Amino acid sequence: MDQTIERYFSDFSVPADVRSFVARPIGHFIEGKEEAATSDQIDLVEPFTGQRLTGLASGSAEDVDRAVRSARQALDGPWGRMPALERQRLILRLAEMMEADADFLAHLEAIDVGKSITDARNIDVPGAIANFQYFAGWTSKLDGRTTGAVALPGETLTYTIKEPVGVVAAIVPWNFPLQILSWKLAAALACGCTIVCKPSEQTPLSAMRLAFLASQAGFPEGVINVVNGFGHVIGQALAAHPGVDKLTFTGSTPVGTAVGKTALDTMKRLTLELGGKSPVIVTGKADLQNAAQAILSGIFLNSGQVCDAGSRVYVQDSAHDELIELLRIGAEALTIGPGLDPTARITPLVSALHRGRVLNHIETAHTQGAALVTGESASGDRREDGILRPTIFNRCAETMDILREEVFGPVLAIGTFSDIDAAVARANTGDFGLAAAVYSEDVNETIHLSRRLKAGNIYVNAHGLIDPTMPFGGLGASGFGKDMGPEQLDGFLSTKSVYVQVRDA
Ligand code: NAD
């Protein structure tokens, strides 16, 4: 391992078992065991140092085929025959093992994504565990219905049965690798499906650890598989594979659209959780101290690499000056540092490539005339550690790209409004519909606004709250289908209708 990474790990006392886990080449997890990486490898880069961490298997369509066959065998074998309460016990056992492994998992997320280890400890890992705990309880509650047929002659018994949809492919992004994978896995397992996971080629570590923990927990081999490699190879092969019954994808809108089209060629069931450009409305009746705090965490959590980040704020004229000042002070007070530093709130972006994309957005905003409140100037003066300072633009017009395009970085764009109808019209402009937030102390105003905003998730006087009981998903270009909540279960179940003609006694 490179000396710079060694120093970074020593400075933050990374445990020896984590160091050895991230230093060895990463292969696949198929048929209940980890496979060594073959000769073709992708460089896995640590975001703070920019140094190579290790090599990742660059898998092939053949690897996907083996994983799908392994998932099918598990479905036709012990997993498919397992009583629901036994499935529940295994899922809860996995959650317990994750609790025991929580600090290890948090280190993997901080090292792989570059994210704050404090957030990984407080959000990513407990969020993932809660999901398994919640969905474990659903294994025993997937009942069909007995109906009273209303239009049939004679006596009939009519009922429905819920069955697992089959083999699930889960393709996930790099921003919350463990948590988003858990959104897919927990519900799919509860429904009795088997899974082939495709983590981002930038962040495969926690998926591999999770598959290992599941095998230790006693899941039969083949129930959870992980295939690593490039999206256009592994993701594409999964989307096209006739042995996959359901595809659940989280990622960008362009890739999701292409993947969805491929999946329909073989009539797969489909869930698409895609990008966003979530609006935030701050009315003149808002508690501005609370609003500023929540807006800052809504855009700068995970250095802005959050799908439902509140990346465009519309503030009523009367509240404008005070809010801008609160946001400026708050943004400038955020501690900047590497992901492993527990005090750092703003950490490196996932890669130099992605950082370059975010910088392009910043430069365009400057060129188009947005007014910089704080953060990255047009001219450069960049840090060399992968970090971008929290950046806020004011006086943004609807014609500017910074109000329209998903930036996926620590950049907030602000516009103003004078009457509420104009705020709603501006917030509802654009193709995305993932989330929206409203700040007001007038409860009626918040209820009316919540109804009028076009988004799958609405936050009132807060941002980015996530709970396993609540379905998460978008509208329009943000995709369709839900993760979490009982609504997600339907995506992993098929309903069979049974008609029994009853003969006279
Ligand atoms: P991405 O679309 O580039 O990649 C997502 C996954 O798809 C990765 O595993 C990648 O390897 C794979 N992939 C890439 N090309 C593929 C192809 N041609 N065929 C099949 N699979 C392919 O997205 P990203 O950069 O990893 O993540 C950022 C995006 O994800 C943002 O747009 C963000 O808004 C979105 N996101 C959405 C949600 C949500 O719940 N709606 C949550 C998190 C992130």
Side-chain angles (χ1 to χ4, degrees), residues 50-320:
Q51 305 290 308
R52 182 180 188 274
L53 200 54
T54 184
L56 173 73
S58 176
S60 63
E62 288 73 47
D63 296 319
V64 167
D65 191 53
R66 286 188 306 112
V68 172
R69 277 192 278 117
S70 144
R72 178 66 57 190
Q73 274 167 17
L75 195 65
D76 294 341
W79 179 250
R81 292 191 292 271
M82 191 177 281
L85 287 180
E86 181 64 8
R87 250 184 11 251
Q88 174 178 351
R89 194 189 63 76
L90 278 180
I91 298 171
L92 287 174
R93 176 92 190 103
L94 174 58
E96 277 168 21
M97 296 191 69
M98 290 171 74
E99 275 175 334
D101 204 50
D103 209 54
F104 193 105
L105 288 166
H107 272 92
L108 296 188
E109 294 300 69
I111 291 168
D112 220 4
V113 186
K115 68 168 58 201
S116 144
I117 192 160
T118 301
D119 288 346
R121 284 179 174 135
N122 295 338
I123 299 172
D124 298 64
V125 177
I129 293 169
N131 229 40
F132 285 105
Q133 289 168 330
Y134 170 76
F135 277 104
W138 275 107
T139 56
S140 55
K141 294 159 194 75
L142 305 172
D143 301 328
R145 293 184 298 130
T146 306
T147 78
V150 295
L152 292 173
E155 193 183 343
T156 51
L157 170 63
T158 46
Y159 61 94
T160 63
I161 305 171
K162 298 280 187 190
E163 294 176 341
V165 76
V167 173
V168 172
I171 303 179
V172 295
W174 47 258
N175 60 338
F176 289 86
L178 178 68
Q179 203 176 0
I180 293 178
L181 188 58
S182 83
W183 291 359
K184 317 286 189 195
L185 266 177
L189 292 171
C191 292
C193 297
T194 56
I195 299 116
V196 181
C197 310
K198 173 4 193 150
S200 165
E201 55 273 35
Q202 300 180 73
T203 56
L205 296 176
S206 55
M208 291 300 281
R209 184 68 177 178
L210 193 59
F212 166 75
L213 291 177
S215 74
Q216 298 295 102
F219 279 84
E221 63 185 45
V223 174
I224 300 172
N225 306 271
V226 180
V227 185
N228 281 308
F230 288 114
H232 64 272
V233 179
I234 306 302
Q236 170 64 24
L238 280 170
H241 201 294
V244 172
D245 301 294
K246 153 97 191 187
L247 177 68
T248 172
F249 173 92
T250 298
S252 64
T253 299
V255 174
T257 308
V259 163
K261 285 179 184 161
T262 305
L264 280 180
D265 287 342
T266 43
M267 285 299 163
K268 292 183 189 10
R269 300 270 296 275
L270 194 55
T271 298
L272 295 175
E273 300 283 359
L274 310 178
K277 183 75 186 177
S278 300
V280 174
I281 294 181
V282 182
T283 80
K285 297 177 184 168
D287 171 339
L288 294 183
Q289 292 279 356
N290 169 66
Q293 263 189 15
I295 289 169
L296 288 167
S297 91
I299 181 62
F300 296 130
L301 175 76
N302 208 27
S303 299
Q305 301 164 120
V306 180
C307 56
D308 68 351
S311 52
R312 52 185 176 127
V313 167
Y314 300 105
V315 55
Q316 200 152 20
D317 296 330
S318 57
H320 173 269

Side-chain angles (χ1 to χ4, degrees), residues 397-464:
E398 257 351 280
T399 48
M400 293 180 188
D401 293 348
I402 200 69
L403 269 189
R404 299 271 64 86
E405 293 178 0
E406 183 179 46
V407 173
F408 222 58
V411 184
L412 179 63
I414 301 177
T416 52
F417 67 91
S418 51
D419 74 277
I420 295 284
D421 287 348
V424 172
R426 290 189 79 177
N428 284 342
T429 305
D431 298 331
F432 293 119
L434 189 55
V438 171
Y439 294 90
S440 169
E441 294 302 298
D442 177 341
V443 68
N444 288 311
E445 190 171 59
T446 66
I447 290 170
H448 289 306
L449 281 169
S450 304
R451 203 160 38 220
R452 295 177 69 190
L453 288 169
K454 288 192 192 142
N457 309 281
I458 307 282
Y459 304 115
V460 176
N461 293 329
H463 203 100

Side-chain angles (χ1 to χ4, degrees), residues 292-293 296-297 300 323-335 345-346 374 390 392:
Q293 263 189 15
L296 288 167
S297 91
F300 296 130
L323 184 71
I324 296 292
E325 188 54 7
L326 287 168
L327 290 174
R328 185 190 64 74
I329 293 168
E332 289 174 358
L334 292 170
T335 326
R345 310 303 308 139
I346 298 290
T374 184
I392 301 179

Side-chain angles (χ1 to χ4, degrees), residues 378-394:
S379 54
D381 178 29
R382 313 278 184 230
R383 302 167 59 97
E384 286 181 0
D385 52 10
I387 298 175
L388 285 179
R389 285 171 291 180
T391 298
I392 301 179
F393 287 106
N394 195 10

